[in-house]
Amino acid sequence: MGQVVSGRFYIDPPGLVEHLNQILPAQIRIFGYKCVTASFNAKKFCDRRRYVYHIPVSALDPSCHRNRASVLSSLGSGNELVKRLECSERGRKVIGVMGKRSSFEAKSTIVQSDISSNNGDNRNAVKEDNLTSELKEAADSCIQNEVTDMEDSGVGEDKVNVEKKPMEERRFCYGEEEKEIFNRILKHYVESHNFHNFTIRTKAEDPTACRYIVSFHGNTVVTVEGIDFVKCEVVGQSFMLHQIRKMIGMAIAVMRNCAPDH
């Protein structure tokens, strides 16, 4: 990743690049410099920016993730989903919307509070033992129910049959067809659009929400320590806070069939 910065430096005597590289860590290198006018500002005068993100190839596999219908059903109704997104966006939790604790978790919380606050009280120790025994009984009953369900459904027999047969591993490949689909999704971001949904604290009518994307594609696959990654490269005039990460997240959701492609 390259960056262009502006500043005032003494270039005499020669050897500025070598001297800076001796001071900087090995991961940061200076490649050169150019003399510009005193009013030049690399941040303000930049006409385009290029960012590269690497995402695992397995993250794009639709078969490894639940579809959109199952995701919505697990989250609740559409209104609750909207409230969840609003709460997460504002960084706060609304009671009754973000989920409830189960009775098992509630009992465990009571046990922990009794242990931490009343270590020396014998009566509380008895209460702790009672609650612990209740928790064990609840866990045993849950395990017993799961075993019974597995036996009724014949899962145990299927497991034995699977162990006898060699398992065929299916590996998702980012081939030409997958590349075409993913690039078609990324192409929706190209040109001028209102990206107020891809940042925070910016309204739709805010003029700063309109940004121009020059190009966005994922054509290259790189391997790092045996893991394949898709190299996503985006070029635009300017970007807002979290914009690129949210654009890639939405593209992955569409690729997984968890979100519509329009």
Side-chain angles (χ1 to χ4, degrees), residues 63-82:
S63 62
C64 291
H65 307 277
R66 299 178 297 178
N67 55 27
R68 184 170 182 265
S70 61
V71 172
L72 290 176
S73 63
S74 64
L75 293 176
S77 63
N79 294 332
E80 289 185 358
L81 178 60
V82 173

Side-chain angles (χ1 to χ4, degrees), residues 181-195:
I181 296 174
F182 191 56
N183 283 329
R184 186 171 66 248
I185 296 172
L186 296 178
K187 193 175 181 180
H188 288 294
Y189 296 121
V190 178
E191 296 183 351
S192 296
H193 298 284
N194 191 319
F195 291 98

